Amino acid sequence: MPGPFGRIEHPDVSFASGKEEDSHGKESSLPDVGSLIDLFLEGPCTPARRKECEKNSGPMVDLLCRECERGRYEPEPYVVNLYRVFLLHRAGFPLQAEDADLTFWMDLALFTHKIDFKLSNCPMTCRGSSHG
């Protein structure tokens, strides 16, 4: 029996490679879940990021801003759902294998790995440092 989310189905995004074959055997390019997660964890552009870009790009900053994904960032609903399930799972919410398909579980594992890595390297925490 599906859990409280219903059965979580994997949308038109691909685990890891960003490439899948369609029903005719042709390769189709789908958004790479890892890239979508990275973008989600980085978040939208901020004034501090803009200043960093200005420092690194000089007079080209306006052109680069128009092309930058962060300026028009809208989180992918599937990645927002991964985040929601991640938070519930971390809080102790019981999840069962039949609540989702294998690809969703793989994506959730990738999300968990990426967020744990980000947190372990965050200068605002003591995780991963010698400061107990």
Side-chain angles (χ1 to χ4, degrees), residues 7-132:
R7 176 113 172 120
I8 302 168
E9 297 296 331
H10 193 264
D12 288 336
V13 291
S14 172
F15 176 71
S17 72
K19 305 221 186 244
E20 287 186 358
E21 288 186 4
D22 65 16
S23 60
H24 304 292
K26 291 185 177 179
E27 198 174 83
S28 64
S29 183
L30 298 173
D32 173 24
V33 171
S35 297
L36 294 173
I37 292 169
D38 290 339
L39 192 57
F40 177 81
L41 294 176
E42 289 298 317
C45 190
T46 63
R49 281 195 177 133
R50 167 77 186 200
K51 283 185 181 184
E52 186 68 26
C53 285
E54 286 173 352
K55 184 172 77 174
N56 294 330
S57 306
M60 298 294 292
V61 71
D62 290 328
L63 177 64
L64 294 172
C65 273
R66 284 194 296 271
E67 300 298 319
C68 182
E69 293 176 321
R70 288 189 183 127
R72 55 189 181 280
Y73 176 70
E74 287 289 325
E76 173 69 37
Y78 178 67
V79 177
V80 172
N81 193 44
L82 282 172
Y83 181 58
R84 187 181 73 156
V85 174
F86 165 81
L87 289 176
L88 288 169
H89 184 64
R90 279 281 166 99
F93 191 86
L95 299 171
Q96 304 300 315
E98 63 271 4
D99 290 342
D101 61 20
L102 179 60
T103 307
F104 181 85
W105 289 119
M106 294 297 293
D107 292 345
L108 184 61
L110 180 63
F111 186 94
T112 301
H113 170 75
K114 286 180 174 283
I115 202 163
D116 285 345
F117 181 79
K118 185 175 179 71
L119 289 173
S120 71
N121 290 302
C122 179
M124 299 302 289
T125 67
C126 293
R127 293 175 108 186
S129 73
S130 59
H131 294 75

